[in-house]
């Protein structure tokens, strides 16, 4: 009962008697409401058994609550009884075999997941019937993130630090019920964009669109062909401007984003032939994944930062006294700290620490954003691997994101595009005819494809939140 949750817990005393009677009256009224009928379709025997169990348990609690309301003499004993009612109701309220995964909010720092919060899906699930909605669905509420790793008992002070507090608005439901979600009062403005990606591949050191494993224009996965001309505004929507390049600014944030101090690293590698010594002159440098990298002498301190020490060998790892780790083949990995005669590769990690210079921080951030927006290209070795902002020697593909804004003339209009796969004006006649036939040469039926737009919430100004804590002593 919402009344119990609002006024609980009670403390023994003269004022508690009136609250106790009020809570019991609200509980009895709620328990007298019949359970919603089960839908007619897709009902299993387990659903029927659970429905009967919940109905019987609510009737038993109703009888006990009425008896307690009429015969209660001791407030402390009555509080214990009501506690048991709450526990029993909580046990039957949650679906024991919920097939919908929970909502997990992650805080990322570079490629690392540093904190998270888990929200049970039934708490944010929407239903047209108000009594069946999750208690947090469609409401702004606060969540406190926690660390995903096992607590370190040796560092007690660290355990008291909260990674973050967020105020979130979560709504989970069917597409048919989502019409009113964008009209909820939010601090930010919801913007809707059509989205497509321009793809290119490097052949003979030149960027081209020939012989690509994905369409010239596609969605982010490359599965759906999305030329600009194929987009038609859904009913009730209209275009607000032309297509423009809108790069993914999250790629412009490096591993050091959000940190005041950062440790750069690079690996010195050596190779040898069987039976020979390790060479001292032929060195090559890589990152932790084995990708080619600059030597430690060529690595410059980024704008807005300054070095705090010199390059040193990292000995705080499973390495020998010189910092080396060994393996048979670098491409396979499996480095160990003890050298064997059959080892043909070794490497050691060099590290150097830098810290932010507050005077140059804003200037460096502005320069980074300008560079990211100049062309908007993202680079990678393959379309299936992770993209990055700076072009590297081994990069063979690139892409950039195009957006076009839409505005709704009808608040209840659905923002779903119907894509015509035959509307690519850049395709040759042979390509179009080939795409309309299956492997046997038979004509494929015309099946229009659907594409959901990209939605953003933009804020005109940053928001600052304070956490207040009161400690009673």
């Amino acid at each position: 009962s919402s009344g119990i949750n609002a006024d609980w817990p009670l403390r023994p005393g003269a004022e508690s008697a009136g609250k106790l009677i009020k809570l019991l009256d609200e509980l009895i009224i709620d328990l007298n409401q019949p359970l919603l009928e089960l839908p007619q379709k897709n009902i299993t025997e387990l659903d029927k058994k659970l429905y009967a169990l919940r109905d019987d348990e609510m009737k038993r609690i109703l009888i006990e609550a009425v008896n307690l309301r009429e015969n209660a003499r001791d407030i402390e004993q009555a509080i214990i009884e009501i506690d048991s009612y709450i526990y029993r109701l909580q046990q039957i309220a949650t679906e024991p075999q919920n097939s919908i995964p929970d909502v997990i909010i992650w805080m990322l720092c570079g490629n690392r997941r540093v904190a998270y919060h888990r929200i049970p899906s039934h708490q944010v699930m929407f239903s047209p019937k108000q009594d069946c909605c999750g208690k947090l669905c469609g409401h702004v509420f606060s969540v406190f993130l926690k660390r995903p790793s096992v607590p370190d008992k040796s560092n007690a002070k660290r355990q008291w630090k909260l990674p973050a507090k967020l105020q979130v608005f979560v709504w989970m439901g069917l597409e048919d019920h989502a019409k009113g979600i964008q009209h909820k009062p939010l601090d930010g403005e919801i913007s809707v964009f059509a989205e497509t990606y321009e793809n290119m591949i490097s052949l003979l050191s030149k960027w081209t669109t020939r012989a690509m494993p994905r369409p010239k224009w596609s969605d982010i996965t490359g599965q759906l062909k999305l030329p600009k001309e194929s987009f038609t505004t859904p009913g009730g929507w209209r275009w607000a401007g032309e297509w423009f390049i809108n790069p993914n600014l999250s790629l412009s944030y490096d591993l050091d984003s959000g940190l005041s101090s950062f440790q750069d690293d690079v690996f010195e590698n050596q190779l040898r032939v069987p039976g020979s010594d390790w060479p001292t002159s032929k060195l090559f440098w890589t990152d932790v994944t084995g990708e080619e990298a600059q030597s430690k002498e060529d690595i410059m301190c980024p704008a807005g930062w300054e070095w705090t020490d010199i390059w040193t060998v990292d000995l705080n790892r499973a390495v020998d006294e010189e910092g080396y780790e060994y393996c048979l083949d670098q491409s396979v990995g499996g480095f160990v700290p003890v050298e064997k005669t059959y080892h043909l590769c070794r490497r050691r990690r060099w590290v150097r620490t830098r810290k932010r210079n507050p005077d140059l921080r804003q200037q460096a951030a502005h320069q980074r954003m300008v560079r990211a927006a100049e062309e908007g290209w993202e680079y990678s070795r393959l379309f299936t691997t992770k993209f990055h902002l700076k072009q590297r020697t081994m990069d063979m593909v690139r892409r950039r994101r195009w957006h076009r804004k839409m505005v709704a003339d009808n608040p209840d209009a659905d923002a779903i595009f119907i894509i015509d796969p035959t509307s690519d004006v850049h395709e040759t006649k042979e390509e179009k005819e080939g795409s309309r036939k299956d492997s046997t040469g038979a004509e494929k039926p015309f099946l229009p494809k659907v594409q959901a737009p990209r939605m953003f919430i933009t804020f005109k100004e940053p928001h600052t939140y304070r956490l207040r804590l009161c400690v009673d002593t």
Side-chain angles (χ1 to χ4, degrees):
S1 172
S2 59
I4 290 181
N5 291 332
D7 295 306
W8 206 254
L10 291 175
R11 297 180 180 179
E15 297 181 0
S16 298
K19 290 185 178 180
L20 181 66
I21 298 298
K22 180 181 178 181
L23 292 178
L24 285 172
D25 288 340
E26 293 181 0
L27 178 62
I28 292 172
I29 292 174
D30 290 340
L31 291 175
N32 272 310
Q33 299 294 326
L35 287 174
L36 296 175
E37 293 294 333
L38 291 174
Q40 300 299 322
K41 297 181 179 179
N42 303 322
I43 297 300
T44 65
E45 286 298 320
L46 179 60
D47 294 327
K48 297 177 181 178
K49 296 291 185 183
L50 285 174
Y51 184 88
L53 173 65
R54 289 165 174 161
D55 187 62
D56 292 341
E57 184 67 11
M58 289 177 62
K59 290 179 180 178
R60 284 195 291 267
I61 296 176
L62 174 61
I63 294 173
E64 295 176 15
V66 172
N67 182 59
L68 180 65
R69 170 72 169 75
E70 297 174 352
N71 303 315
R73 296 294 181 269
D74 186 351
I75 292 181
E76 292 187 4
Q77 188 62 35
I79 292 175
I80 296 175
E81 288 291 328
I82 295 179
D83 271 332
S84 69
Y85 301 161
I86 296 175
Y87 176 77
R88 289 159 63 185
L89 289 172
Q90 289 174 341
Q91 296 304 305
I92 63 175
T94 305
E95 176 63 43
Q97 292 183 323
N98 188 9
S99 60
I100 301 177
D102 293 339
V103 178
I104 300 181
I105 301 173
W106 284 101
M107 176 188 287
L108 304 180
C109 180
N111 294 326
R112 297 183 298 116
R113 300 187 177 190
V114 297
Y116 78 100
H117 182 81
R118 185 170 187 163
I119 305 174
S121 58
H122 68 270
Q123 294 185 1
V124 294
M125 189 68 66
F126 175 80
S127 172
K129 300 176 180 178
Q130 187 64 30
D131 293 339
C132 298
C133 273
K135 64 179 182 180
L136 300 178
C137 178
H139 298 286
V140 178
F141 58 96
S142 298
V143 297
F144 297 92
L145 274 61
K146 60 182 180 180
R147 304 182 190 280
S149 58
V150 178
D152 183 9
K153 296 182 180 180
S154 63
N155 191 352
K157 292 183 178 180
R158 179 180 174 87
Q159 303 311 313
W160 286 99
K161 295 181 180 179
L162 286 171
K165 172 202 171 185
L166 303 177
Q167 284 192 314
V168 297
F169 175 89
V170 184
W171 187 97
M172 179 186 291
L174 299 177
E175 179 187 328
D176 294 340
H177 301 150
K179 293 181 178 179
I181 183 65
Q182 59 180 321
H183 305 302
K184 294 288 184 179
L186 295 175
D187 293 336
E189 175 188 359
I190 294 182
S191 302
V192 182
F193 295 89
E195 178 181 278
T196 185
Y197 278 82
E198 179 184 2
N199 306 300
M200 299 187 76
I201 191 171
S202 178
L203 293 178
L204 302 177
S205 301
K206 293 184 179 181
W207 293 106
T208 180
T209 57
R210 297 180 180 273
M212 285 199 305
R214 62 171 55 189
K216 305 169 189 176
W217 298 87
S218 70
D219 64 346
I220 190 172
T221 65
Q223 303 283 334
L224 182 62
K225 186 184 301 182
L226 288 179
K228 297 177 183 178
E229 296 78 12
S230 65
F231 286 88
T232 303
T233 53
W237 291 81
R238 58 180 173 83
W239 296 118
E242 298 297 326
W243 288 95
F244 64 96
I245 298 173
N246 190 10
N248 186 356
L249 294 181
S250 63
L251 295 179
S252 64
Y253 293 97
D254 298 323
L255 296 176
D256 56 16
S257 297
L259 301 178
S260 59
S261 177
F262 186 77
Q263 189 178 67
D264 282 304
D265 65 346
V266 66
F267 285 84
E268 171 195 336
N269 299 265
Q270 294 181 348
L271 299 176
R272 70 176 179 181
V273 297
S276 64
D277 295 330
W278 296 105
T280 57
S281 58
K282 296 182 179 180
L283 304 177
F284 64 97
W285 303 83
T286 62
D287 60 14
V288 66
T289 63
E291 293 286 341
E292 183 180 354
Q294 292 178 311
S295 66
K296 59 184 178 63
E297 291 80 9
D298 295 333
I299 296 178
M300 305 300 294
C301 188
W305 295 79
E306 57 187 10
W307 296 116
T308 60
D309 55 14
I310 61 174
W311 288 101
T312 56
V313 176
D314 184 10
L315 299 178
N316 296 322
R317 307 169 62 240
V319 293
D320 63 12
E321 62 276 5
E322 295 182 354
Y324 284 107
E325 53 185 350
Y326 304 83
C327 73
L328 179 62
D329 185 354
Q330 184 188 26
S331 61
V332 177
F335 286 91
V336 295
V338 180
E339 180 183 1
K340 301 295 183 181
T341 55
Y342 54 79
H343 284 148
L344 304 180
C345 176
R346 73 174 182 177
R347 70 177 185 178
R348 60 180 174 180
R349 181 175 182 247
W350 291 82
V351 296
R352 191 176 186 181
T353 304
R354 50 186 164 93
K355 67 177 183 179
R356 286 192 183 274
N357 186 329
D359 298 333
L360 302 176
R361 182 176 179 178
Q362 293 184 350
Q363 179 182 354
H366 176 71
Q367 292 175 354
R368 184 172 60 248
M369 295 298 183
V370 171
R371 289 196 304 268
E374 284 179 352
E375 292 186 341
W377 291 109
E378 307 167 4
Y379 299 89
S380 180
R381 297 176 63 184
L382 300 170
F383 280 116
T384 55
T385 56
K386 186 177 180 180
F387 281 81
H388 45 264
L389 188 63
K390 297 180 181 179
Q391 185 178 3
R392 301 172 184 171
T393 306
M394 300 299 293
D395 290 335
M396 298 299 296
V397 299
R398 69 178 184 178
R399 71 182 185 187
R400 60 180 173 182
R401 185 173 67 177
W402 290 77
H403 277 171
R404 191 176 185 184
K405 189 174 182 180
M406 298 191 309
V407 293
D409 292 329
N410 181 5
D412 297 328
D414 294 326
I416 300 295
F417 294 102
I418 302 298
I419 306 299
D420 181 2
T422 64
S423 62
D424 190 354
V425 298
H426 300 287
E427 280 188 319
T428 63
K429 182 178 180 181
E430 292 77 10
E431 288 175 332
K432 286 186 177 181
E433 292 179 353
S435 63
R436 299 175 188 174
K437 297 182 179 180
D438 56 21
S439 57
T440 62
E443 194 78 14
K444 293 181 183 178
F446 172 73
L447 296 175
K449 302 178 181 180
V450 296
Q451 172 74 3
R454 180 75 67 179
M455 301 180 67
F456 297 95
I457 300 180
T458 55
F459 298 87
K460 296 181 179 179
E461 57 184 15
H463 289 68
T464 302
Y465 301 96
R466 290 183 178 180
L467 173 63
R468 293 182 173 86
L469 177 64
C470 297
V471 179
D472 297 330
T473 59

